[in-house]
């Protein structure tokens, strides 16, 4: 249930059948190994980090880059929208250059809620962006507001790397 990738399906089936991984072809062994190696799974994945607080941007982008992720930064929702619209209209694979958008919910000029609604309005419906809301507020009302805006997940700051890895793995 809920398996969204061939790698996770293969891993689950091999566990269920008590299959010895050593008997699998090399390609399948490598896929399973990647699932259990967070750093390998994150290598080269593209993240758009949208936050107006440069201290947060510096700390989180440094953490993400150390894990092998490629980070692009935007300082508010408007800048992120401009960037996404430009990239989406160019010749990117599937029109979607990012594996994940980390979106601060409260920003000046354009907040994350508004930016997410705008993104949902122009993105390709067959390959929607994975948008995770970030906030210092751990209250249900803010989380509900994030989901109503179209965010896929909601994390409270400070964000932990294992939370990001878990989201990218699912």
């Amino acid at each position: 249930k809920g398996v969204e990738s061939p790698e996770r399906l293969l891993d689950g089936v091999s566990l269920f059948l008590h299959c010895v991984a050593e008997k699998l072809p090399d390609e399948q062994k490598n896929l399973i190994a990647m699932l259990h190696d967070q750093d390998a799974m994150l290598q080269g994945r593209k993240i758009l980090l949208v936050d107006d607080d440069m201290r947060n941007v510096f700390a989180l982008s440094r953490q993400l880059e150390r894990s092998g992720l490629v980070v692009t930064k935007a300082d508010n929702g408007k800048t992120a929208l401009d960037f996404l619209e430009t990239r989406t209209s160019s010749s990117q694979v599937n029109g979607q250059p990012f594996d994940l958008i980390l979106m601060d919910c409260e920003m000046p000029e354009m907040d994350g809620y508004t930016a997410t609604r705008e993104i949902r309005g122009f993105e390709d419906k067959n390959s929607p962006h994975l948008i995770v809301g970030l906030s210092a507020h751990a209250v249900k009302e803010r989380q509900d507001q994030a989901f109503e805006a179209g965010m896929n997940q909601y994390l409270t700051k400070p964000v932990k790397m294992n939370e990001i890895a878990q989201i990218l793995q699912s």
Side-chain angles (χ1 to χ4, degrees):
K1 290 182 177 180
V3 176
E4 296 183 20
S5 71
E7 297 86 8
R8 289 186 62 101
L9 179 60
L10 178 62
D11 189 35
V13 168
S14 66
L15 284 173
F16 180 74
L17 297 175
H18 304 288
C19 176
V20 179
E22 301 308 317
K23 295 179 183 177
L24 293 173
D26 287 339
E27 183 181 334
Q28 292 176 341
K29 280 194 256 185
N30 292 339
L31 290 174
I32 290 172
M34 185 183 78
L35 278 177
H36 298 287
D37 182 0
Q38 177 177 307
D39 290 338
M41 190 229 10
L42 298 177
Q43 292 298 313
R45 307 280 299 266
K46 296 175 188 168
I47 306 288
L48 176 59
L49 175 58
V50 187
D51 198 318
D52 63 313
D53 187 331
M54 286 303 117
R55 295 168 296 180
N56 290 340
V57 170
F58 177 77
L60 187 52
S61 65
R62 195 164 173 199
Q63 186 179 10
L64 295 168
E65 288 168 348
R66 282 184 184 155
S67 296
L69 294 160
V70 177
V71 180
T72 302
K73 302 165 198 135
D75 60 359
N76 63 57
K78 176 84 173 101
T79 304
L81 270 178
D82 293 342
F83 188 78
L84 284 167
E85 287 173 332
T86 302
R87 297 283 293 255
T88 301
S89 63
S90 69
S91 59
Q92 295 296 318
V93 179
N94 297 330
Q96 183 177 336
F98 297 104
D99 295 296
L100 175 65
I101 299 172
L102 295 173
M103 180 78 71
D104 184 24
C105 293
E106 296 89 22
M107 295 179 287
E109 193 166 342
M110 181 183 286
D111 65 31
Y113 307 115
T114 304
T116 298
R117 283 188 206 92
E118 294 285 327
I119 292 167
R120 295 296 184 222
F122 71 74
E123 71 186 348
D124 181 357
K125 302 301 180 209
N126 295 319
S127 59
H129 293 85
L130 178 58
I131 303 174
V132 175
L134 304 178
S135 179
H137 303 285
V139 293
K140 184 166 177 16
E141 293 80 26
R142 296 290 174 113
Q143 186 176 20
D144 291 344
Q145 190 177 0
F147 292 137
E148 287 170 14
M151 294 178 183
N152 301 91
Q153 283 277 10
Y154 180 85
L155 298 175
T156 55
K157 297 177 186 177
V159 177
K160 296 169 190 68
M161 201 54 225
N162 66 334
E163 293 172 319
I164 304 285
Q166 209 169 32
I167 289 167
L168 284 170
Q169 193 173 15
S170 61

